[in-house]
Amino acid sequence: SFKQRAGADAVYPFGLDPGWHHSPNELSFGNSYKMKLSIIVGVAQMLLGLVCSLLNAIHFRSELEVWCDFVPQAIFMLSIFGYLVF
């Protein structure tokens, strides 16, 4: 059961606050929001690919793939996106 949110201090758990729809910087804010969301989804997809490659290497007992493929990719990706986040 969700309560009706109608106050000025209401916080929306998902999506955009409807107050942005008639603001002067609606287009700028919306585009910025969509770009940040696409980066988050892209990084999540790349992390999923890395985890799948790790599970594949563990399944086939390939220690070389873990150390020479997964570890450098993980370090590079997390360092680049870690730099962008912090």
Side-chain angles (χ1 to χ4, degrees):
S1 68
F2 292 103
K3 291 184 178 179
Q4 184 72 19
R5 296 174 185 254
D9 60 341
V11 177
Y12 292 87
F14 184 77
L16 289 175
D17 186 350
W20 282 104
H21 292 298
H22 299 292
S23 67
N25 60 346
E26 170 192 5
L27 184 63
S28 173
F29 177 78
N31 286 341
S32 172
Y33 185 78
K34 288 187 285 186
M35 182 62 73
K36 290 173 186 174
L37 252 158
S38 66
I39 290 172
I40 290 170
V41 169
V43 170
Q45 181 180 3
M46 287 188 285
L47 279 174
L48 177 67
L50 270 176
V51 169
C52 286
S53 74
L54 175 65
L55 293 175
N56 196 28
I58 290 172
H59 175 73
F60 289 110
R61 292 180 171 82
S62 176
E63 191 174 334
L64 184 66
E65 275 191 41
V66 172
W67 292 109
C68 296
D69 192 30
F70 171 76
V71 171
Q73 286 180 9
I75 289 172
F76 182 73
M77 191 181 83
L78 293 174
S79 65
I80 292 291
F81 288 107
Y83 169 74
L84 290 175
V85 170
F86 301 110

Coordinates of all heavy atoms in Angstrom, one line a residue:
S1 N 0.8 -1.2 0.0 CA 0.0 0.0 0.0 C 0.9 1.2 0.0 O 1.7 1.5 0.9 CB -0.9 0.0 1.2 OG -0.2 0.1 2.4
F2 N 0.8 2.0 -1.1 CA 1.5 3.3 -1.2 C 0.7 4.4 -0.8 O -0.5 4.5 -1.1 CB 2.0 3.5 -2.6 CG 3.0 2.5 -3.1 CD1 2.7 1.4 -3.9 CD2 4.3 2.6 -2.7 CE1 3.6 0.5 -4.3 CE2 5.3 1.7 -3.1 CZ 4.9 0.7 -3.9
K3 N 1.3 5.3 0.0 CA 0.5 6.5 0.4 C 0.7 7.6 -0.7 O 1.6 7.6 -1.5 CB 1.1 7.1 1.7 CG 0.9 6.2 2.9 CD 1.4 6.9 4.1 CE 1.1 6.1 5.3 NZ 1.6 6.7 6.5
Q4 N -0.3 8.4 -0.8 CA -0.3 9.5 -1.8 C 0.7 10.5 -1.4 O 0.7 11.0 -0.3 CB -1.7 10.1 -1.9 CG -1.8 11.2 -3.0 CD -1.8 10.7 -4.4 OE1 -2.1 9.5 -4.6 NE2 -1.5 11.5 -5.3
R5 N 1.6 10.9 -2.3 CA 2.7 11.9 -2.0 C 2.3 13.2 -2.7 O 2.2 13.2 -3.9 CB 4.0 11.4 -2.5 CG 4.5 10.2 -1.8 CD 5.8 9.7 -2.4 NE 6.2 8.4 -1.8 CZ 7.2 8.3 -1.0 NH1 7.9 9.3 -0.7 NH2 7.4 7.1 -0.5
A6 N 2.0 14.2 -1.9 CA 1.6 15.4 -2.5 C 2.2 16.7 -1.9 O 2.0 17.8 -2.4 CB 0.1 15.6 -2.3
G7 N 3.1 16.5 -0.9 CA 3.7 17.7 -0.3 C 4.9 18.2 -1.0 O 5.4 17.6 -1.9
A8 N 5.3 19.4 -0.7 CA 6.5 20.0 -1.3 C 7.8 19.2 -0.9 O 8.8 19.2 -1.7 CB 6.6 21.4 -0.9
D9 N 7.8 18.5 0.2 CA 8.9 17.8 0.6 C 8.8 16.3 0.3 O 9.6 15.5 0.8 CB 9.1 17.9 2.1 CG 7.9 17.4 2.9 OD1 6.8 17.3 2.3 OD2 8.0 17.2 4.1
A10 N 7.9 15.9 -0.6 CA 7.7 14.5 -1.0 C 9.0 14.0 -1.8 O 9.5 14.8 -2.6 CB 6.5 14.4 -1.8
V11 N 9.4 12.8 -1.5 CA 10.5 12.2 -2.2 C 9.9 11.1 -3.1 O 9.2 10.2 -2.6 CB 11.5 11.7 -1.2 CG1 12.7 11.0 -1.9 CG2 12.0 12.8 -0.3
Y12 N 10.3 11.1 -4.3 CA 9.9 10.0 -5.2 C 10.9 8.9 -5.3 O 12.1 9.1 -5.5 CB 9.6 10.6 -6.6 CG 8.5 11.5 -6.7 CD1 8.7 12.9 -6.4 CD2 7.2 11.1 -6.9 CE1 7.6 13.8 -6.4 CE2 6.2 12.0 -7.0 CZ 6.4 13.3 -6.7 OH 5.3 14.1 -6.7
P13 N 10.5 7.6 -5.0 CA 11.4 6.5 -4.9 C 12.0 6.2 -6.3 O 13.1 5.6 -6.4 CB 10.6 5.4 -4.3 CG 9.2 5.7 -4.7 CD 9.1 7.2 -4.7
F14 N 11.3 6.5 -7.4 CA 11.8 6.1 -8.7 C 11.2 7.1 -9.7 O 10.1 7.5 -9.6 CB 11.3 4.7 -9.1 CG 11.9 4.2 -10.4 CD1 13.1 3.8 -10.5 CD2 11.1 4.2 -11.5 CE1 13.7 3.3 -11.7 CE2 11.6 3.8 -12.7 CZ 12.9 3.3 -12.8
G15 N 12.1 7.5 -10.6 CA 11.6 8.4 -11.7 C 11.9 9.9 -11.3 O 12.6 10.2 -10.4
L16 N 11.3 10.7 -12.2 CA 11.5 12.1 -12.0 C 10.4 12.8 -11.3 O 9.2 12.4 -11.4 CB 11.6 12.8 -13.4 CG 12.9 12.5 -14.2 CD1 12.8 13.2 -15.6 CD2 14.1 13.1 -13.5
D17 N 10.7 13.8 -10.5 CA 9.7 14.6 -9.8 C 8.9 15.3 -10.9 O 9.4 15.9 -11.8 CB 10.4 15.6 -8.9 CG 9.4 16.4 -8.0 OD1 8.2 16.3 -8.3 OD2 9.9 17.0 -7.1
P18 N 7.6 15.3 -10.9 CA 6.7 16.0 -11.9 C 7.0 17.5 -11.9 O 6.6 18.1 -12.9 CB 5.3 15.6 -11.5 CG 5.4 14.4 -10.6 CD 6.7 14.5 -10.0
G19 N 7.5 18.0 -10.9 CA 7.8 19.4 -10.8 C 8.8 19.9 -11.9 O 8.9 21.0 -12.3
W20 N 9.6 18.9 -12.4 CA 10.6 19.3 -13.5 C 9.9 19.5 -14.8 O 10.5 20.1 -15.7 CB 11.6 18.2 -13.6 CG 12.6 18.2 -12.6 CD1 12.7 17.3 -11.5 CD2 13.7 19.1 -12.4 NE1 13.8 17.6 -10.7 CE2 14.4 18.7 -11.3 CE3 14.2 20.2 -13.2 CZ2 15.6 19.4 -10.9 CZ3 15.3 20.8 -12.8 CH2 16.0 20.4 -11.6
H21 N 8.7 19.1 -15.0 CA 8.0 19.1 -16.3 C 7.8 20.5 -16.8 O 7.6 20.7 -18.0 CB 6.8 18.3 -16.4 CG 7.1 16.8 -16.2 ND1 7.8 16.1 -17.2 CD2 6.7 15.9 -15.3 CE1 7.9 14.9 -16.8 NE2 7.2 14.7 -15.7
H22 N 7.6 21.5 -15.9 CA 7.4 22.8 -16.4 C 8.4 23.8 -15.9 O 8.2 25.0 -15.9 CB 6.0 23.3 -15.9 CG 4.9 22.4 -16.4 ND1 4.5 22.4 -17.7 CD2 4.1 21.5 -15.8 CE1 3.5 21.5 -17.9 NE2 3.3 20.9 -16.7
S23 N 9.6 23.3 -15.6 CA 10.7 24.2 -15.2 C 11.4 24.7 -16.4 O 11.4 24.1 -17.5 CB 11.6 23.5 -14.3 OG 12.3 22.5 -14.9
P24 N 12.1 25.9 -16.3 CA 12.8 26.4 -17.5 C 14.0 25.5 -17.9 O 14.4 25.6 -19.1 CB 13.3 27.8 -17.0 CG 12.8 28.0 -15.6 CD 12.1 26.7 -15.2
N25 N 14.6 24.8 -17.0 CA 15.7 23.9 -17.4 C 15.3 22.5 -17.5 O 16.2 21.6 -17.3 CB 16.9 24.1 -16.5 CG 16.5 23.8 -15.1 OD1 15.4 23.6 -14.7 ND2 17.5 23.7 -14.2
E26 N 14.1 22.2 -17.9 CA 13.6 20.8 -18.0 C 14.4 20.0 -19.0 O 14.8 18.8 -18.7 CB 12.2 20.8 -18.4 CG 11.6 19.4 -18.8 CD 10.3 19.5 -19.4 OE1 9.8 20.6 -19.7 OE2 9.7 18.4 -19.7
L27 N 14.7 20.5 -20.2 CA 15.4 19.8 -21.2 C 16.9 19.5 -20.8 O 17.3 18.3 -20.9 CB 15.4 20.6 -22.5 CG 16.1 19.9 -23.7 CD1 15.3 18.6 -24.0 CD2 16.1 20.8 -24.9
S28 N 17.5 20.4 -20.2 CA 18.9 20.3 -19.7 C 19.0 19.2 -18.6 O 19.8 18.3 -18.6 CB 19.4 21.6 -19.2 OG 20.7 21.4 -18.7
F29 N 18.1 19.3 -17.7 CA 18.1 18.4 -16.6 C 17.7 17.0 -17.0 O 18.3 16.0 -16.6 CB 17.1 18.8 -15.5 CG 17.0 17.8 -14.3 CD1 18.0 17.8 -13.4 CD2 15.9 16.9 -14.3 CE1 17.9 16.9 -12.3 CE2 15.9 16.0 -13.2 CZ 16.9 16.0 -12.3
G30 N 16.7 16.8 -17.9 CA 16.3 15.5 -18.4 C 17.4 14.8 -19.2 O 17.6 13.7 -19.0
N31 N 18.1 15.6 -20.0 CA 19.2 15.0 -20.8 C 20.3 14.6 -19.9 O 20.9 13.5 -20.1 CB 19.7 16.0 -21.9 CG 18.7 16.1 -23.0 OD1 17.9 15.2 -23.2 ND2 18.8 17.2 -23.8
S32 N 20.6 15.4 -18.9 CA 21.7 15.0 -18.0 C 21.3 13.8 -17.2 O 22.2 12.9 -17.0 CB 22.0 16.2 -17.0 OG 22.8 15.8 -16.0
Y33 N 20.1 13.7 -16.8 CA 19.6 12.5 -16.0 C 19.7 11.3 -16.9 O 20.2 10.2 -16.4 CB 18.2 12.8 -15.6 CG 17.6 11.7 -14.7 CD1 18.0 11.7 -13.3 CD2 16.7 10.8 -15.2 CE1 17.4 10.7 -12.5 CE2 16.2 9.8 -14.4 CZ 16.5 9.8 -13.0 OH 16.0 8.9 -12.2
K34 N 19.3 11.4 -18.2 CA 19.3 10.2 -19.0 C 20.7 9.8 -19.3 O 21.0 8.6 -19.4 CB 18.5 10.5 -20.3 CG 17.0 10.6 -20.2 CD 16.3 10.7 -21.5 CE 16.5 12.1 -22.0 NZ 15.7 12.4 -23.2
M35 N 21.6 10.7 -19.5 CA 23.0 10.4 -19.8 C 23.7 9.6 -18.6 O 24.4 8.6 -18.7 CB 23.8 11.6 -20.1 CG 25.3 11.4 -20.4 SD 25.5 10.4 -21.9 CE 25.0 11.5 -23.2
K36 N 23.4 10.1 -17.4 CA 23.9 9.5 -16.2 C 23.3 8.1 -16.0 O 24.1 7.1 -15.7 CB 23.6 10.3 -14.9 CG 24.4 11.6 -14.9 CD 24.0 12.5 -13.8 CE 24.8 13.8 -13.9 NZ 24.3 14.8 -12.9
L37 N 22.1 7.9 -16.3 CA 21.4 6.6 -16.2 C 22.0 5.6 -17.3 O 22.2 4.5 -17.0 CB 19.9 6.7 -16.5 CG 19.1 6.5 -15.2 CD1 17.7 7.2 -15.4 CD2 18.9 5.1 -14.9
S38 N 22.3 6.1 -18.5 CA 22.9 5.2 -19.5 C 24.3 4.8 -19.1 O 24.7 3.7 -19.4 CB 22.8 5.9 -20.9 OG 23.7 7.0 -20.9
I39 N 25.0 5.7 -18.5 CA 26.4 5.3 -18.0 C 26.3 4.2 -17.0 O 27.0 3.2 -17.0 CB 27.2 6.5 -17.6 CG1 27.5 7.4 -18.8 CG2 28.4 6.1 -16.8 CD1 28.1 8.7 -18.4
I40 N 25.4 4.4 -16.0 CA 25.2 3.4 -15.0 C 24.8 2.0 -15.5 O 25.4 1.0 -15.1 CB 24.1 3.9 -13.9 CG1 24.7 5.1 -13.1 CG2 23.7 2.8 -13.0 CD1 23.7 5.8 -12.3
V41 N 23.9 2.0 -16.5 CA 23.5 0.8 -17.1 C 24.6 0.1 -17.9 O 24.8 -1.1 -17.8 CB 22.2 1.0 -18.0 CG1 21.9 -0.2 -18.8 CG2 21.0 1.3 -17.1
G42 N 25.4 1.0 -18.6 CA 26.5 0.4 -19.4 C 27.6 -0.2 -18.5 O 28.1 -1.2 -18.8
V43 N 27.9 0.5 -17.4 CA 28.9 0.0 -16.5 C 28.4 -1.3 -15.8 O 29.2 -2.3 -15.7 CB 29.3 1.0 -15.4 CG1 30.1 0.4 -14.3 CG2 30.0 2.2 -16.0
A44 N 27.1 -1.4 -15.5 CA 26.6 -2.6 -14.9 C 26.6 -3.8 -15.9 O 27.0 -4.9 -15.6 CB 25.1 -2.4 -14.5
Q45 N 26.4 -3.5 -17.2 CA 26.5 -4.5 -18.2 C 27.9 -5.0 -18.4 O 28.2 -6.2 -18.5 CB 25.9 -4.0 -19.5 CG 26.0 -5.0 -20.6 CD 25.4 -4.4 -21.9 OE1 25.1 -3.3 -22.0 NE2 25.3 -5.3 -22.9
M46 N 28.9 -4.0 -18.3 CA 30.3 -4.4 -18.5 C 30.7 -5.3 -17.2 O 31.5 -6.2 -17.4 CB 31.2 -3.2 -18.6 CG 31.1 -2.6 -20.0 SD 32.2 -1.3 -20.3 CE 31.5 0.0 -19.3
L47 N 30.3 -4.9 -16.1 CA 30.6 -5.7 -14.9 C 30.0 -7.1 -15.0 O 30.6 -8.1 -14.6 CB 30.1 -5.0 -13.6 CG 31.0 -3.9 -13.1 CD1 30.3 -3.2 -11.9 CD2 32.3 -4.4 -12.6
L48 N 28.8 -7.2 -15.5 CA 28.2 -8.5 -15.7 C 29.0 -9.4 -16.7 O 29.2 -10.6 -16.4 CB 26.8 -8.4 -16.2 CG 26.0 -9.7 -16.5 CD1 25.8 -10.5 -15.2 CD2 24.7 -9.4 -17.2
G49 N 29.5 -8.8 -17.7 CA 30.4 -9.5 -18.7 C 31.7 -9.9 -18.0 O 32.1 -11.0 -18.3
L50 N 32.2 -9.1 -17.2 CA 33.5 -9.5 -16.5 C 33.2 -10.6 -15.5 O 34.0 -11.6 -15.4 CB 34.0 -8.3 -15.7 CG 35.0 -7.4 -16.4 CD1 35.4 -6.2 -15.5 CD2 36.2 -8.1 -16.8
V51 N 32.1 -10.6 -14.8 CA 31.8 -11.6 -13.8 C 31.6 -12.9 -14.6 O 32.0 -14.0 -14.2 CB 30.6 -11.2 -13.0 CG1 30.1 -12.4 -12.2 CG2 31.0 -10.1 -12.0
C52 N 30.9 -12.9 -15.7 CA 30.7 -14.1 -16.5 C 32.0 -14.6 -17.0 O 32.1 -15.9 -17.1 CB 29.7 -13.8 -17.7 SG 28.0 -13.5 -17.2
S53 N 32.9 -13.8 -17.5 CA 34.2 -14.3 -17.9 C 35.0 -14.9 -16.8 O 35.7 -16.0 -16.9 CB 35.0 -13.2 -18.6 OG 35.5 -12.3 -17.6
L54 N 34.8 -14.4 -15.6 CA 35.5 -15.0 -14.4 C 34.9 -16.4 -14.1 O 35.6 -17.3 -13.8 CB 35.4 -14.1 -13.2 CG 35.9 -14.6 -11.9 CD1 37.4 -14.8 -12.0 CD2 35.5 -13.7 -10.7
L55 N 33.6 -16.4 -14.1 CA 32.9 -17.7 -13.8 C 33.3 -18.8 -14.9 O 33.4 -19.9 -14.6 CB 31.4 -17.5 -13.8 CG 30.9 -16.7 -12.6 CD1 29.4 -16.5 -12.7 CD2 31.2 -17.3 -11.3
N56 N 33.4 -18.3 -16.1 CA 33.8 -19.2 -17.2 C 35.2 -19.7 -17.0 O 35.5 -20.9 -17.1 CB 33.7 -18.5 -18.5 CG 33.7 -19.4 -19.7 OD1 33.3 -20.6 -19.6 ND2 34.2 -18.9 -20.8
A57 N 36.1 -18.9 -16.6 CA 37.5 -19.3 -16.3 C 37.6 -20.2 -15.1 O 38.4 -21.2 -15.2 CB 38.4 -18.0 -16.1
I58 N 36.8 -19.9 -14.1 CA 36.8 -20.8 -12.9 C 36.2 -22.2 -13.3 O 36.7 -23.2 -12.9 CB 36.0 -20.1 -11.8 CG1 36.8 -19.0 -11.2 CG2 35.7 -21.2 -10.7 CD1 36.0 -18.1 -10.2
H59 N 35.2 -22.2 -14.1 CA 34.5 -23.4 -14.5 C 35.5 -24.3 -15.3 O 35.6 -25.5 -15.1 CB 33.3 -23.2 -15.4 CG 32.7 -24.4 -15.9 ND1 32.0 -25.3 -15.1 CD2 32.6 -24.9 -17.2 CE1 31.5 -26.3 -15.9 NE2 31.9 -26.1 -17.1
F60 N 36.3 -23.7 -16.2 CA 37.2 -24.5 -17.0 C 38.6 -24.6 -16.3 O 39.6 -25.1 -16.9 CB 37.4 -23.9 -18.4 CG 36.1 -24.1 -19.2 CD1 35.3 -23.1 -19.6 CD2 35.8 -25.4 -19.7 CE1 34.2 -23.3 -20.3 CE2 34.7 -25.6 -20.5 CZ 33.9 -24.5 -20.8
R61 N 38.7 -24.1 -15.1 CA 39.9 -24.2 -14.3 C 41.1 -23.6 -15.0 O 42.2 -24.2 -15.1 CB 40.2 -25.7 -13.9 CG 39.2 -26.2 -12.9 CD 39.6 -27.6 -12.5 NE 38.7 -28.1 -11.4 CZ 37.5 -28.6 -11.6 NH1 36.9 -28.6 -12.7 NH2 36.9 -29.1 -10.5
S62 N 40.9 -22.4 -15.6 CA 42.0 -21.7 -16.3 C 42.5 -20.6 -15.5 O 42.0 -19.5 -15.5 CB 41.4 -21.2 -17.7 OG 42.4 -20.5 -18.3
E63 N 43.5 -20.9 -14.7 CA 44.1 -19.9 -13.9 C 44.8 -18.8 -14.7 O 44.8 -17.6 -14.3 CB 45.2 -20.5 -13.0 CG 45.7 -19.6 -11.9 CD 46.6 -20.3 -10.9 OE1 46.5 -21.5 -10.7 OE2 47.4 -19.6 -10.3
L64 N 45.3 -19.1 -15.9 CA 45.9 -18.1 -16.7 C 44.9 -17.1 -17.2 O 45.2 -15.9 -17.2 CB 46.5 -18.8 -18.0 CG 47.3 -17.9 -18.9 CD1 48.5 -17.4 -18.3 CD2 47.6 -18.7 -20.2
E65 N 43.7 -17.5 -17.5 CA 42.6 -16.6 -17.9 C 42.2 -15.6 -16.8 O 41.9 -14.5 -17.0 CB 41.4 -17.3 -18.4 CG 41.5 -17.7 -19.9 CD 40.1 -18.1 -20.4 OE1 39.1 -17.5 -20.1 OE2 40.1 -19.1 -21.2
V66 N 42.2 -16.2 -15.6 CA 41.8 -15.4 -14.4 C 42.9 -14.3 -14.2 O 42.5 -13.1 -14.1 CB 41.7 -16.2 -13.1 CG1 41.5 -15.3 -11.9 CG2 40.5 -17.2 -13.3
W67 N 44.2 -14.6 -14.2 CA 45.2 -13.6 -13.9 C 45.6 -12.8 -15.1 O 46.0 -11.6 -14.9 CB 46.5 -14.3 -13.4 CG 46.2 -14.9 -12.0 CD1 46.1 -16.2 -11.7 CD2 46.0 -14.2 -10.8 NE1 45.8 -16.4 -10.4 CE2 45.8 -15.1 -9.8 CE3 46.0 -12.8 -10.5 CZ2 45.5 -14.8 -8.5 CZ3 45.7 -12.5 -9.2 CH2 45.5 -13.4 -8.2
C68 N 45.5 -13.3 -16.3 CA 45.9 -12.5 -17.5 C 44.8 -11.9 -18.3 O 45.0 -11.1 -19.2 CB 46.8 -13.4 -18.4 SG 48.3 -13.9 -17.6
D69 N 43.6 -12.2 -18.0 CA 42.4 -11.7 -18.7 C 41.5 -10.9 -17.7 O 41.3 -9.7 -17.9 CB 41.7 -12.8 -19.4 CG 40.7 -12.3 -20.4 OD1 40.9 -11.2 -20.9 OD2 39.6 -13.0 -20.6
F70 N 41.0 -11.6 -16.7 CA 40.0 -11.0 -15.8 C 40.6 -9.9 -15.0 O 40.1 -8.8 -14.9 CB 39.3 -12.0 -14.9 CG 38.5 -11.4 -13.9 CD1 37.2 -10.9 -14.2 CD2 38.9 -11.4 -12.6 CE1 36.4 -10.4 -13.2 CE2 38.1 -10.8 -11.6 CZ 36.9 -10.3 -11.9
V71 N 41.7 -10.2 -14.3 CA 42.3 -9.2 -13.3 C 42.7 -7.9 -14.0 O 42.3 -6.8 -13.5 CB 43.5 -9.8 -12.6 CG1 44.2 -8.8 -11.7 CG2 42.9 -11.0 -11.7
P72 N 43.4 -7.9 -15.2 CA 43.7 -6.6 -15.8 C 42.5 -5.8 -16.3 O 42.4 -4.6 -16.1 CB 44.6 -7.0 -17.0 CG 45.1 -8.3 -16.7 CD 44.1 -9.0 -15.8
Q73 N 41.5 -6.6 -16.8 CA 40.3 -5.9 -17.3 C 39.6 -5.3 -16.1 O 39.1 -4.1 -16.2 CB 39.4 -6.9 -18.0 CG 39.8 -7.3 -19.4 CD 38.9 -8.2 -20.0 OE1 37.8 -8.5 -19.5 NE2 39.3 -8.8 -21.1
A74 N 39.5 -6.0 -15.0 CA 38.8 -5.5 -13.8 C 39.5 -4.3 -13.2 O 38.9 -3.2 -12.9 CB 38.6 -6.6 -12.8
I75 N 40.8 -4.4 -13.1 CA 41.6 -3.2 -12.6 C 41.4 -2.0 -13.5 O 41.2 -0.9 -13.0 CB 43.1 -3.6 -12.5 CG1 43.3 -4.6 -11.3 CG2 44.0 -2.4 -12.2 CD1 44.7 -5.2 -11.2
F76 N 41.5 -2.2 -14.8 CA 41.4 -1.0 -15.7 C 40.0 -0.4 -15.7 O 39.9 0.8 -15.5 CB 41.8 -1.5 -17.2 CG 41.7 -0.4 -18.2 CD1 42.7 0.6 -18.2 CD2 40.6 -0.3 -19.0 CE1 42.6 1.6 -19.1 CE2 40.6 0.7 -20.0 CZ 41.6 1.7 -20.0
M77 N 39.0 -1.3 -15.7 CA 37.7 -0.7 -15.8 C 37.3 0.0 -14.4 O 36.7 1.1 -14.4 CB 36.6 -1.8 -16.1 CG 35.3 -1.3 -16.3 SD 34.1 -2.5 -16.7 CE 33.6 -2.9 -15.0
L78 N 37.6 -0.7 -13.3 CA 37.3 -0.1 -12.0 C 38.1 1.2 -11.7 O 37.6 2.1 -11.1 CB 37.4 -1.1 -10.9 CG 36.4 -2.3 -11.0 CD1 36.7 -3.3 -10.0 CD2 35.0 -1.8 -10.9
S79 N 39.3 1.2 -12.2 CA 40.1 2.4 -12.0 C 39.6 3.6 -12.9 O 39.5 4.7 -12.4 CB 41.6 2.2 -12.3 OG 41.8 1.9 -13.7
I80 N 39.2 3.3 -14.1 CA 38.7 4.4 -14.9 C 37.3 4.9 -14.4 O 37.2 6.1 -14.2 CB 38.4 3.9 -16.4 CG1 39.8 3.6 -17.1 CG2 37.6 4.9 -17.2 CD1 40.6 4.8 -17.4
F81 N 36.4 4.0 -14.1 CA 35.1 4.5 -13.6 C 35.2 4.9 -12.1 O 34.4 5.8 -11.7 CB 34.1 3.4 -13.8 CG 33.7 3.3 -15.2 CD1 34.1 2.2 -16.0 CD2 33.0 4.3 -15.8 CE1 33.7 2.1 -17.3 CE2 32.6 4.2 -17.2 CZ 33.0 3.1 -17.9
G82 N 36.2 4.4 -11.3 CA 36.4 4.9 -10.0 C 36.9 6.3 -10.0 O 36.5 7.1 -9.2
Y83 N 37.7 6.6 -11.0 CA 38.2 8.0 -11.2 C 37.1 8.9 -11.5 O 37.0 10.0 -11.0 CB 39.3 8.1 -12.2 CG 39.7 9.4 -12.6 CD1 40.4 10.2 -11.8 CD2 39.2 10.0 -13.9 CE1 40.8 11.5 -12.2 CE2 39.6 11.3 -14.2 CZ 40.4 12.0 -13.4 OH 40.7 13.3 -13.8
L84 N 36.2 8.5 -12.4 CA 35.1 9.3 -12.8 C 34.1 9.5 -11.7 O 33.5 10.6 -11.6 CB 34.3 8.6 -14.0 CG 35.1 8.6 -15.3 CD1 34.3 7.8 -16.4 CD2 35.4 10.0 -15.8
V85 N 33.9 8.5 -10.8 CA 32.9 8.7 -9.7 C 33.5 9.5 -8.6 O 32.8 10.4 -8.1 CB 32.5 7.3 -9.2 CG1 31.7 7.4 -7.9 CG2 31.7 6.5 -10.3
F86 N 34.7 9.3 -8.2 CA 35.3 10.0 -7.1 C 36.2 11.1 -7.6 O 36.6 12.0 -7.2 CB 36.0 9.1 -6.2 CG 35.1 8.0 -5.6 CD1 35.3 6.7 -6.0 CD2 34.1 8.3 -4.7 CE1 34.4 5.7 -5.5 CE2 33.3 7.4 -4.2 CZ 33.5 6.0 -4.6

